């Protein structure tokens, strides 16, 4: 019965998320449903002392990253930097390489710290025009954007400031550059397999004569659908023979600064606070000693994003000044929603973790998968898939299992950097099931339905999940970190 209660709570969360209900309200209700059927007298104490405590702890740690990432993305969009980056890529790759162009642009923006949701809105207009010009089926656009932003650039490439790569740092005292060689191998595996898949789908479409709008009974639309996000259709794509100007190259400066300064701050902050920070030394005994290991990567990402925002505004001050108020408000609203979604799922996981049924699940997985790398990959994929959120899945797993993974890693002589990279990559595996918020947003932006376009997104999801276990195999065979 305890196990059934847990599975019902998870099932309800997945069902209502798929139906479009916000997890901000659904997650606590599902968690308290499980508590009620375990012992009704536990409901109010568990809500106040466990759910809210876990939720607030998540907000405390990660809200600045969500906030600055969203604002950075809006600044990149409204200053025209995204359009100039597209111009450079198209100039050197060519408009006929539409899939590769979209993949590279999405990867650059994601790796530079732009929120995944913002990346979808930023690159869709370019993808739509490029695919139309190359007569590639529109139904492949969502999978191409998902591949560019939700996979290798999000959590495999070392140094990514995306939240899925940041969360493990606070549990393992690692940095976002954890296991650089292993992560790079995983990213290469994902990139090559994903590009092969997308190109095979394009070639198959050419073979049967399918164009941008489909063919025969598979014809999607006669023209752009009314439910396509109108605001994303205003951007013009520069032709590949247009001369690249100096200001086009300057557009890369904010993105490069975020990546470089992230590394610099990761190196120098420990030197600035060599002995941590003792509040008692300045008369604030109640605040104790700050754990630098838990905050190092967060501070590094936040400072790097802040510099990136300032530099992006400086590059096109007039455009930023004109749209800054609206863009800032939109970025803040988006970041609050993203933070609350993740925090609510974190609170849900905190309650589920202490219920008797979860102990059974944990025991089963621990018995079946004794290696902590495999255990972490499986459990993170499962919970990320159930919650429809990579950040939510990894938050739940590490909130429950981090201490056990640290102990098991020491017993198996596995560096915590490797644990970080595997769990981070697993967070971006099965999270893109149909009820995932980013997937729903992506399809909405493209004006397509799950039936029309989700099959290829799911194929990319399978490749990404397989990459996580491929990385484990590489480590076990070679010991590369």
């Amino acid at each position: 019965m305890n196990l059934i209660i847990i599975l019902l709570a998870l099932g309800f969360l997945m069902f209502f998320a798929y139906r479009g209900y916000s997890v901000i309200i659904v997650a606590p209700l599902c968690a308290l449903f499980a508590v009620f059927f375990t012992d009704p007298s536990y409901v109010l104490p568990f809500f106040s002392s466990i759910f809210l405590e876990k939720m607030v702890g998540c907000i405390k740690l990660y809200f600045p990253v969500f906030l600055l990432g969203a604002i950075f993305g809006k600044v990149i969009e409204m200053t025209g930097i995204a359009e100039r980056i597209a111009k450079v890529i198209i100039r050197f790759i060519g408009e006929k390489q539409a899939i590769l162009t979209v993949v590279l642009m999405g990867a650059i923006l994601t790796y530079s710290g732009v929120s995944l949701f913002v990346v979808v809105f930023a690159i869709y207009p370019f993808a739509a025009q490029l695919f139309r010009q190359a007569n590639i089926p529109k139904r492949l656009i969502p999978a191409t954007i998902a591949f560019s932003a939700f996979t290798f650039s999000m959590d495999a490439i070392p140094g990514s400031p995306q939240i899925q790569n940041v969360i493990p740092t606070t549990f393992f005292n690692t940095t976002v550059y954890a296991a650089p060689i292993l992560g790079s191998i995983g990213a290469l595996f994902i990139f090559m397999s994903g590009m092969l898949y997308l190109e095979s789908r394009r070639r198959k479409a050419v073979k049967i004569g399918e164009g941008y709008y489909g063919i025969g009974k598979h014809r999607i639309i006669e023209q752009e659908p009314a439910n396509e996000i109108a605001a994303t259709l205003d951007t013009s794509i520069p032709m590949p023979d247009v001369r690249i100007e100096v200001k086009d190259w300057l557009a890369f400066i904010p993105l490069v600064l975020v990546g470089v300064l992230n590394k610099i701050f990761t190196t120098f902050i420990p030197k600035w606070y060599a002995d941590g920070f003792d509040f008692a030394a300045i008369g604030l005994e109640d605040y104790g000693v700050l754990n630098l290991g838990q905050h190092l990567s967060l501070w590094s990402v936040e400072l790097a994003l802040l510099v990136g925002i300032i530099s992006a505004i400086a590059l096109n001050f007039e455009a930023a000044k004109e749209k800054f108020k609206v863009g800032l408000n939109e970025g803040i609203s988006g970041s609050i929603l993203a933070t609350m979604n993740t925090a609510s799922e974190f609170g849900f996981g905190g309650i589920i973790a202490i219920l008797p049924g979860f102990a059974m699940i944990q025991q089963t997985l621990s018995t079946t998968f004794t290696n902590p790398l495999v255990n972490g990959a499986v459990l993170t994929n499962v919970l990320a898939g159930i919650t429809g959120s990579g950040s939510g899945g990894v938050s739940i797993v590490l909130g429950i299992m981090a201490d056990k993974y640290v102990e098991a890693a020491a017993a198996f002589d596995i560096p915590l950097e490797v644990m970080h990279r595997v769990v981070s990559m697993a967070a971006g595996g099965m999270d893109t099931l149909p009820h995932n918020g980013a997937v729903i947003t992506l399809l909405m932006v493209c004006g397509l339905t799950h039936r029309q376009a989700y099959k290829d997104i799911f194929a990319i999801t399978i490749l990404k999940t397989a990459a996580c276990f491929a990385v484990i195999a590489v480590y076990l065979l070679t010991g590369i970190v």
Side-chain angles (χ1 to χ4, degrees):
M1 187 62 187
N2 288 328
L3 179 59
I4 291 173
I5 290 171
I6 294 289
L7 294 177
L8 281 175
L10 294 173
F12 285 142
L13 177 61
M14 185 173 180
F15 172 78
F16 286 111
Y18 180 80
R19 300 290 295 178
Y21 291 91
S22 172
V23 297
I24 295 175
I25 186 65
V26 171
L29 289 177
C30 289
L32 296 177
F33 161 86
V35 175
F36 179 83
F37 282 98
T38 300
D39 189 326
S41 66
Y42 292 173
V43 171
L44 294 178
F46 274 41
F47 177 70
S48 295
S49 298
I50 299 176
F51 182 87
L52 291 181
E53 287 292 332
K54 292 287 186 180
M55 186 176 186
V56 171
C58 179
I59 295 171
K60 173 185 173 183
L61 285 174
Y62 306 121
F63 175 64
V65 177
F66 279 110
L67 176 64
L68 293 172
I71 294 175
F72 181 55
K74 294 303 296 183
V75 170
I76 289 293
E77 177 187 345
M78 64 191 184
T79 56
I81 287 176
E83 185 173 351
R84 295 190 181 281
I85 291 171
K87 177 180 177 181
V88 174
I89 294 174
I90 294 170
R91 176 66 180 82
F92 285 96
I93 295 178
E95 60 180 335
K96 293 184 178 180
Q97 296 291 331
I99 291 177
L100 180 59
T101 298
V102 172
V103 169
L104 290 179
M105 184 177 180
I108 289 172
L109 292 177
T110 303
Y111 188 73
S112 300
V114 179
S115 167
L116 303 180
F117 288 89
V118 176
V119 171
V120 170
F121 283 92
I123 68 176
Y124 171 69
F126 304 103
Q129 188 162 336
L130 286 170
F131 274 53
R132 191 183 303 113
Q133 291 173 355
N135 203 28
I136 299 172
K138 180 177 180 177
R139 61 180 175 80
L140 293 179
I141 292 180
T144 303
I145 295 178
F147 174 62
S148 73
F150 303 169
T151 60
F152 64 96
S153 59
M154 181 179 77
D155 52 41
I157 302 179
S160 172
Q162 295 298 329
I163 197 69
Q164 292 82 357
N165 191 38
V166 173
I167 289 174
T169 65
T170 61
F171 291 94
F172 297 135
N173 287 337
T174 51
T175 73
V176 291
Y177 295 91
I181 299 176
L182 202 60
S184 299
I185 292 172
L188 183 62
F189 175 93
I190 299 167
F191 179 79
M192 293 180 64
S193 60
M195 285 301 302
L196 286 172
Y197 173 80
L198 291 172
E199 285 294 335
S200 71
R201 299 293 289 165
R202 180 192 65 80
R203 288 193 297 269
K204 182 177 180 180
V206 171
K207 187 175 181 180
I208 63 176
E210 181 183 3
Y212 182 74
Y213 295 110
I215 183 174
K217 67 178 181 179
H218 299 294
R219 193 170 181 82
I220 298 177
I221 43 176
E222 298 297 329
Q223 57 185 4
E224 300 300 344
N227 62 330
E228 191 175 46
I229 304 301
T232 65
L233 301 177
D234 298 333
T235 305
S236 59
I237 296 292
M239 298 306 291
D241 57 348
V242 174
R243 184 170 63 89
I244 301 298
E245 302 174 359
V246 173
K247 58 184 179 181
D248 297 321
W249 290 110
L250 293 178
F252 286 88
I253 289 179
L255 281 66
V256 173
L257 280 175
V258 171
V260 172
L261 289 177
N262 186 9
K263 179 63 175 176
I264 291 175
F265 287 130
T266 300
T267 302
F268 283 96
I269 286 178
K271 297 181 180 179
W272 300 340
Y273 300 98
D275 300 320
F277 190 86
D278 186 0
F279 284 93
I282 57 173
L284 300 173
E285 293 82 0
D286 293 342
Y287 294 92
V289 179
L290 183 139
N291 180 1
L292 182 61
Q294 188 180 48
H295 294 275
L296 173 59
S297 289
L298 293 173
W299 288 352
S300 300
V301 170
E302 290 158 10
L303 289 173
L305 286 172
L306 185 60
V307 174
I309 292 168
I310 295 171
S311 63
I313 293 174
L315 283 176
N316 195 344
F317 181 74
E318 290 302 319
K321 180 181 178 182
E322 180 182 350
K323 305 175 183 178
F324 187 72
K325 182 178 179 180
V326 174
L328 183 65
N329 289 337
E330 290 178 353
I332 292 172
S333 298
S335 67
I336 291 174
L337 181 60
T339 304
M340 289 299 293
N341 281 333
T342 300
S344 189
E345 289 167 344
F346 197 92
F348 173 86
I351 285 185
I352 294 298
I354 62 173
L355 296 179
F358 190 82
M360 299 172 62
I361 298 174
Q362 182 180 330
Q363 180 62 34
T364 300
L365 288 174
S366 299
T367 304
T368 307
F369 307 106
T370 56
N371 186 293
L373 294 176
V374 179
N375 188 287
V378 171
L379 191 56
T380 303
N381 264 296
V382 168
L383 290 184
I386 290 173
T387 60
S389 168
S391 56
V394 73
S395 296
I396 293 172
V397 171
L398 293 184
I400 299 165
M401 299 288 291
D403 292 339
K404 293 181 176 62
Y405 285 151
V406 171
E407 294 175 4
F412 279 80
D413 197 26
I414 297 172
L416 289 180
E417 286 193 18
V418 179
M419 282 298 310
H420 170 130
R421 186 57 52 207
V422 167
V423 172
S424 177
M425 289 182 63
M430 296 304 292
D431 65 320
T432 44
L433 290 179
H435 59 293
N436 174 268
V439 169
I440 294 171
T441 300
L442 174 58
L443 292 172
M444 178 188 69
V445 169
C446 295
L448 298 173
T449 65
H450 280 78
R451 179 174 295 180
Q452 291 168 331
Y454 182 73
K455 179 175 71 173
D456 294 305
I457 296 177
F458 183 69
I460 296 298
T461 298
I462 295 297
L463 292 175
K464 176 62 167 60
T465 303
C468 180
F469 294 96
V471 163
I472 294 175
V474 169
Y475 171 75
L476 294 177
L477 291 172
T478 66
I480 290 177
V481 177

